[in-house]
Amino acid sequence: MTRILPGVLAMAIIVVASNILVQFLILDGLLTWGAFTYPLAFLVTDVMNRVYGPAAARKVVFAGLVVGIICSLIGSQIMLQGDGFEYPAVALRIAIGSATAFLVAQLLDIAVFDRLRAGSWWKAPLGSTLVGSTVDTVIFFSIAFASVFNGFSASADEEVMWAQDAVPFLNTGPEVPLWVSLAVADWGVKLSIALLALVPFRLIVGRIMARTA
């Protein structure tokens, strides 16, 4: 456990930071600052996978899941004011979507990385992160905001109805539910960071390998 402690701490920091930064909107509400920190979770998972193997990476993921659930529980107890009524900072649907997306996407990332492990150094982290990020985006935004999941909880539905309003796609195109634009913008950030993260992945893995050699 000691050897993966840095990975556990890094994952915990990323999850906590993302839960805080998701409250701050940018680009007319299409993105939050959390969109730029959350994808780093895939970097942590991939580094742990490359250095210590899939079993160790899964332990780091489960640690991150526990931290994420704790953050959601805390957020559900924080009441905000808006339009004359109170609502929790973290809606039930959003909490369930977040936890489900994180677990499924991270475990899928580990599985894909392991399949590509023997290839060129960049194929495993890039391929696994692209797949994991895409699945993460689809699962989270669908469960959290899509109308197909309405009826899960009346109170939770009311808290996310704003995301189902029809608005121009990415503020410029044809009208689509707002959550679709949010998902596409978030996905674009994830893909960009997946490419940029190859540099720190290479450097971090090299440094850890040198220390353990």
Side-chain angles (χ1 to χ4, degrees):
M1 183 66 181
T2 302
R3 64 178 184 169
I4 66 170
L5 183 58
V8 171
L9 293 176
M11 182 67 80
I13 291 171
I14 290 168
V15 171
V16 172
S18 298
N19 274 272
I20 294 173
L21 293 175
V22 75
Q23 307 296 325
F24 301 96
L25 305 178
I26 57 175
L27 297 179
D28 294 326
L30 283 177
L31 288 170
T32 72
W33 284 114
F36 295 90
T37 55
Y38 177 76
L40 297 177
F42 291 99
L43 171 61
V44 174
T45 300
D46 290 346
V47 169
M48 292 294 103
N49 199 347
R50 172 63 76 186
V51 177
Y52 301 116
R58 282 191 287 269
K59 291 179 181 178
V60 172
V61 166
F62 286 122
L65 177 65
V66 171
V67 173
I69 291 174
I70 293 173
C71 288
S72 293
L73 290 174
I74 294 173
S76 67
Q77 301 304 308
I78 299 174
M79 302 305 293
L80 304 176
Q81 296 283 344
D83 296 328
F85 63 92
E86 286 189 335
Y87 59 93
V90 179
L92 178 62
R93 280 181 61 170
I94 293 177
I96 292 175
S98 177
T100 304
F102 178 85
L103 182 61
V104 174
Q106 291 290 333
L107 293 181
L108 182 59
D109 176 277
I110 293 171
V112 173
F113 189 104
D114 211 38
R115 292 290 296 270
L116 300 176
R117 180 183 296 275
S120 300
W121 71 267
W122 56 268
K123 288 184 179 179
L126 181 59
S128 62
T129 300
L130 292 179
V131 172
S133 296
T134 301
V135 170
D136 181 276
T137 302
V138 171
I139 292 178
F140 171 71
F141 283 93
S142 296
I143 294 178
F145 302 119
S147 60
V148 69
F149 288 99
N150 286 355
F152 175 79
S153 168
S155 60
D157 289 344
E158 292 177 0
E159 293 159 9
V160 301
M161 288 300 291
W162 56 269
Q164 298 175 16
D165 293 340
V167 298
F169 178 64
L170 295 177
N171 294 336
T172 59
E175 289 197 344
V176 297
L178 173 59
W179 70 267
V180 174
S181 291
L182 300 180
V184 172
D186 184 80
W187 183 60
V189 172
K190 286 189 176 83
L191 298 189
S192 299
I193 293 180
L195 290 170
L196 295 174
L198 289 175
V199 175
F201 173 85
R202 182 72 163 172
L203 295 175
I204 295 170
V205 168
R207 178 165 296 183
I208 296 176
M209 291 294 197
R211 289 179 179 177
T212 57

